[in-house]
Amino acid sequence: MSAAATDPTTGQVRSAREAVPAHLWDKQIGLLMRDYLYDSVMAARVLGQGYAYLLTAMQHRGESLGLAPSTRRRAR
C-alpha cells in the first residue's frame, strides 16, 4: 500500500501526510523513533503507511475489500 491516495472527488493524488497536522505528525514520528529505534525516514514511512491504511479503510467502509494490516513482524 502506498502512503499516497487518489481523492475520489478531484482525482488528485493526496499524501497521507496531508491528513495530519504538522505538530501531531512530528510528535508521532518522535514516539516511533523513541519506542522502536527507527530513524526519521523509517518512522515517517511506517506512520505514512499506517495512515494510508486507516484512510483507505475509512473511505471504503462496508465495501468488503478484504483490507487488513500485514501480519509480518519486524525481526529483532
Side-chain angles (χ1 to χ4, degrees):
M1 181 183 300
S2 172
T6 303
D7 186 317
T9 57
T10 64
Q12 297 289 324
V13 174
R14 298 181 337 181
S15 168
R17 172 67 183 87
E18 296 172 12
V20 186
H23 71 281
L24 184 56
W25 180 270
D26 293 340
K27 182 176 182 176
Q28 291 172 329
I29 293 293
L31 291 171
L32 285 170
M33 291 172 62
R34 181 194 73 190
D35 294 344
Y36 293 96
L37 303 177
Y38 293 147
D39 62 19
S40 61
V41 173
M42 181 57 109
R45 288 179 62 191
V46 168
L47 188 59
Q49 291 298 296
Y51 274 113
Y53 168 77
L54 289 174
L55 293 169
T56 301
M58 289 184 332
Q59 183 177 2
H60 296 282
R61 184 176 181 196
E63 294 182 28
S64 299
L65 297 178
L67 296 175
S70 172
T71 58
R72 183 175 175 206
R73 295 186 180 240
R74 167 174 87 96
R76 291 210 175 237

